[in-house]
Amino acid sequence: MAILPIITAPDPRLKIRSEPVEQFDDELRAFMDDMLATMYDAPGVGLSAIQVGVAKRAMVVDCAEDGAAAEPLYLVNPEIVESSEDLRSYEEGCLSLPEQYAEVERPAVIRVRYRDQFGAEQELQAEGLLSTCIQHEMDHFDGVLFVDHISALKRNMILRRLKKAKKLQATG
Ligand code: NI
């Protein structure tokens, strides 16, 4: 398994709308294993394909509690078929927006229909961190970042910080 470079904001690729996956083959499974290894290495609890430059609707997540056994999930072409009116607020971060965090409100419980890495149709109900995480990763499929859910003032502050960090990095 390979560790893939993660794209960080600002980057136009993070605004791309990803396409559904059509081929469930060894290539997809190897790529998603690389995504998972990349996510664990970062470390993070979710990663969408576009964050490593591939505009496909595929994500990996693992929201197991610290110290518990790993619970990797491979979600391909997921769709939310039900979401609760109850909202949950969580301080989100993103591997593409390193060291930036903000409170985001989203439906607390969702039902998701998706295909696994073998193409089999699956459904799951998610609450808590897993619910937040899946919704956050699905946003990436449509070029939406967690900062797009907060006030313009806070968003611009975070984006300015990221731009600055990138410039510092570029100049070494
Ligand atoms: Ni993210």
Side-chain angles (χ1 to χ4, degrees), residues 14 46-48 51 92-97 133 136-137 139-140 144-146:
L14 294 173
L47 187 73
S48 282
Q51 294 180 272
E92 295 187 22
C94 178
L95 294 176
S96 294
L97 284 72
C133 186
H136 172 122
E137 299 311 328
D139 272 354
H140 278 298
V144 174
L145 301 174
F146 79 82

mmCIF file of all heavy atoms in Angstrom, residues 14 46-48 51 92-97 133 136-137 139-140 144-146, ligand 1:
data_model
loop_
_atom_site.group_PDB
_atom_site.id
_atom_site.type_symbol
_atom_site.label_atom_id
_atom_site.label_comp_id
_atom_site.label_asym_id
_atom_site.label_seq_id
_atom_site.Cartn_x
_atom_site.Cartn_y
_atom_site.Cartn_z
ATOM 1 N N LEU A 14 -9.956 20.939 -5.298
ATOM 2 C CA LEU A 14 -10.892 20.668 -4.193
ATOM 3 C C LEU A 14 -12.299 21.184 -4.507
ATOM 4 O O LEU A 14 -13.234 20.932 -3.745
ATOM 5 C CB LEU A 14 -10.365 21.279 -2.893
ATOM 6 C CG LEU A 14 -9.070 20.641 -2.364
ATOM 7 C CD1 LEU A 14 -8.532 21.432 -1.178
ATOM 8 C CD2 LEU A 14 -9.301 19.184 -1.953
ATOM 9 N N GLY A 46 -11.432 10.263 7.957
ATOM 10 C CA GLY A 46 -12.121 10.138 6.676
ATOM 11 C C GLY A 46 -11.284 10.753 5.575
ATOM 12 O O GLY A 46 -10.497 11.665 5.821
ATOM 13 N N LEU A 47 -11.445 10.219 4.363
ATOM 14 C CA LEU A 47 -10.721 10.771 3.212
ATOM 15 C C LEU A 47 -11.527 10.500 1.950
ATOM 16 O O LEU A 47 -11.998 9.372 1.731
ATOM 17 C CB LEU A 47 -9.342 10.107 3.094
ATOM 18 C CG LEU A 47 -8.404 10.686 2.036
ATOM 19 C CD1 LEU A 47 -7.849 12.054 2.460
ATOM 20 C CD2 LEU A 47 -7.247 9.727 1.740
ATOM 21 N N SER A 48 -11.698 11.535 1.133
ATOM 22 C CA SER A 48 -12.378 11.385 -0.152
ATOM 23 C C SER A 48 -11.352 11.352 -1.270
ATOM 24 O O SER A 48 -10.284 11.960 -1.162
ATOM 25 C CB SER A 48 -13.340 12.556 -0.387
ATOM 26 O OG SER A 48 -14.508 12.354 0.364
ATOM 27 N N GLN A 51 -9.349 14.313 -2.553
ATOM 28 C CA GLN A 51 -8.271 14.845 -1.709
ATOM 29 C C GLN A 51 -6.899 14.286 -2.093
ATOM 30 O O GLN A 51 -5.873 14.820 -1.682
ATOM 31 C CB GLN A 51 -8.556 14.564 -0.228
ATOM 32 C CG GLN A 51 -9.784 15.306 0.287
ATOM 33 C CD GLN A 51 -10.024 15.003 1.751
ATOM 34 O OE1 GLN A 51 -10.702 14.042 2.090
ATOM 35 N NE2 GLN A 51 -9.443 15.807 2.618
ATOM 36 N N GLU A 92 -15.252 20.374 13.334
ATOM 37 C CA GLU A 92 -14.676 19.606 12.239
ATOM 38 C C GLU A 92 -13.304 20.121 11.832
ATOM 39 O O GLU A 92 -13.009 21.302 11.936
ATOM 40 C CB GLU A 92 -15.610 19.649 11.014
ATOM 41 C CG GLU A 92 -16.935 18.965 11.290
ATOM 42 C CD GLU A 92 -17.823 18.826 10.058
ATOM 43 O OE1 GLU A 92 -17.314 18.857 8.921
ATOM 44 O OE2 GLU A 92 -19.037 18.674 10.265
ATOM 45 N N GLY A 93 -12.520 19.189 11.341
ATOM 46 C CA GLY A 93 -11.247 19.512 10.722
ATOM 47 C C GLY A 93 -11.220 18.794 9.385
ATOM 48 O O GLY A 93 -12.180 18.108 9.034
ATOM 49 N N CYS A 94 -10.147 18.931 8.636
ATOM 50 C CA CYS A 94 -10.070 18.291 7.325
ATOM 51 C C CYS A 94 -8.598 18.148 6.956
ATOM 52 O O CYS A 94 -7.828 19.089 7.151
ATOM 53 C CB CYS A 94 -10.794 19.169 6.297
ATOM 54 S SG CYS A 94 -10.734 18.518 4.623
ATOM 55 N N LEU A 95 -8.245 16.982 6.420
ATOM 56 C CA LEU A 95 -6.842 16.774 6.055
ATOM 57 C C LEU A 95 -6.402 17.738 4.956
ATOM 58 O O LEU A 95 -5.211 17.989 4.800
ATOM 59 C CB LEU A 95 -6.619 15.320 5.615
ATOM 60 C CG LEU A 95 -6.820 14.272 6.724
ATOM 61 C CD1 LEU A 95 -6.666 12.871 6.164
ATOM 62 C CD2 LEU A 95 -5.850 14.505 7.879
ATOM 63 N N SER A 96 -7.350 18.314 4.238
ATOM 64 C CA SER A 96 -7.020 19.287 3.188
ATOM 65 C C SER A 96 -6.971 20.718 3.719
ATOM 66 O O SER A 96 -6.634 21.641 2.966
ATOM 67 C CB SER A 96 -8.019 19.184 2.032
ATOM 68 O OG SER A 96 -7.883 17.938 1.396
ATOM 69 N N LEU A 97 -7.347 20.898 4.986
ATOM 70 C CA LEU A 97 -7.257 22.214 5.630
ATOM 71 C C LEU A 97 -6.508 22.036 6.943
ATOM 72 O O LEU A 97 -7.085 22.162 8.024
ATOM 73 C CB LEU A 97 -8.658 22.795 5.910
ATOM 74 C CG LEU A 97 -9.448 23.381 4.736
ATOM 75 C CD1 LEU A 97 -9.969 22.312 3.804
ATOM 76 C CD2 LEU A 97 -10.581 24.236 5.230
ATOM 77 N N CYS A 133 -18.844 12.530 9.811
ATOM 78 C CA CYS A 133 -17.726 12.209 8.934
ATOM 79 C C CYS A 133 -18.204 11.863 7.523
ATOM 80 O O CYS A 133 -17.671 12.377 6.533
ATOM 81 C CB CYS A 133 -16.971 11.044 9.567
ATOM 82 S SG CYS A 133 -15.488 10.660 8.690
ATOM 83 N N HIS A 136 -19.396 14.989 5.792
ATOM 84 C CA HIS A 136 -18.238 15.826 5.450
ATOM 85 C C HIS A 136 -17.547 15.282 4.188
ATOM 86 O O HIS A 136 -17.240 16.034 3.263
ATOM 87 C CB HIS A 136 -17.277 15.846 6.652
ATOM 88 C CG HIS A 136 -15.957 16.501 6.403
ATOM 89 N ND1 HIS A 136 -15.507 17.575 7.143
ATOM 90 C CD2 HIS A 136 -14.968 16.237 5.509
ATOM 91 C CE1 HIS A 136 -14.307 17.939 6.700
ATOM 92 N NE2 HIS A 136 -13.957 17.136 5.710
ATOM 93 N N GLU A 137 -17.348 13.969 4.148
ATOM 94 C CA GLU A 137 -16.667 13.370 2.985
ATOM 95 C C GLU A 137 -17.529 13.461 1.737
ATOM 96 O O GLU A 137 -17.019 13.652 0.638
ATOM 97 C CB GLU A 137 -16.276 11.915 3.263
ATOM 98 C CG GLU A 137 -15.313 11.698 4.425
ATOM 99 C CD GLU A 137 -14.097 12.605 4.391
ATOM 100 O OE1 GLU A 137 -13.624 12.966 3.303
ATOM 101 O OE2 GLU A 137 -13.625 12.979 5.482
ATOM 102 N N ASP A 139 -19.557 15.844 1.035
ATOM 103 C CA ASP A 139 -19.419 17.232 0.570
ATOM 104 C C ASP A 139 -18.241 17.365 -0.401
ATOM 105 O O ASP A 139 -18.327 18.086 -1.394
ATOM 106 C CB ASP A 139 -19.168 18.174 1.761
ATOM 107 C CG ASP A 139 -20.457 18.687 2.390
ATOM 108 O OD1 ASP A 139 -21.544 18.413 1.848
ATOM 109 O OD2 ASP A 139 -20.355 19.385 3.420
ATOM 110 N N HIS A 140 -17.144 16.667 -0.100
ATOM 111 C CA HIS A 140 -15.962 16.746 -0.974
ATOM 112 C C HIS A 140 -16.307 16.317 -2.402
ATOM 113 O O HIS A 140 -15.718 16.815 -3.355
ATOM 114 C CB HIS A 140 -14.831 15.845 -0.444
ATOM 115 C CG HIS A 140 -14.016 16.450 0.657
ATOM 116 N ND1 HIS A 140 -13.280 17.599 0.489
ATOM 117 C CD2 HIS A 140 -13.806 16.054 1.942
ATOM 118 C CE1 HIS A 140 -12.644 17.883 1.632
ATOM 119 N NE2 HIS A 140 -12.948 16.966 2.528
ATOM 120 N N VAL A 144 -17.362 20.822 -1.935
ATOM 121 C CA VAL A 144 -17.725 21.622 -0.754
ATOM 122 C C VAL A 144 -16.805 21.253 0.418
ATOM 123 O O VAL A 144 -16.566 20.078 0.680
ATOM 124 C CB VAL A 144 -19.207 21.372 -0.377
ATOM 125 C CG1 VAL A 144 -19.559 22.066 0.927
ATOM 126 C CG2 VAL A 144 -20.118 21.847 -1.512
ATOM 127 N N LEU A 145 -16.288 22.282 1.075
ATOM 128 C CA LEU A 145 -15.423 22.082 2.241
ATOM 129 C C LEU A 145 -16.184 22.476 3.501
ATOM 130 O O LEU A 145 -17.158 23.233 3.435
ATOM 131 C CB LEU A 145 -14.167 22.944 2.110
ATOM 132 C CG LEU A 145 -13.322 22.679 0.863
ATOM 133 C CD1 LEU A 145 -12.185 23.695 0.770
ATOM 134 C CD2 LEU A 145 -12.766 21.262 0.868
ATOM 135 N N PHE A 146 -15.717 22.012 4.656
ATOM 136 C CA PHE A 146 -16.471 22.340 5.887
ATOM 137 C C PHE A 146 -16.568 23.841 6.121
ATOM 138 O O PHE A 146 -17.535 24.332 6.686
ATOM 139 C CB PHE A 146 -15.926 21.577 7.109
ATOM 140 C CG PHE A 146 -14.674 22.142 7.728
ATOM 141 C CD1 PHE A 146 -14.745 23.203 8.625
ATOM 142 C CD2 PHE A 146 -13.426 21.610 7.441
ATOM 143 C CE1 PHE A 146 -13.594 23.731 9.209
ATOM 144 C CE2 PHE A 146 -12.275 22.126 8.017
ATOM 145 C CZ PHE A 146 -12.356 23.194 8.898
HETATM 146 NI NI NI B 1 -12.277 16.893 4.525
#
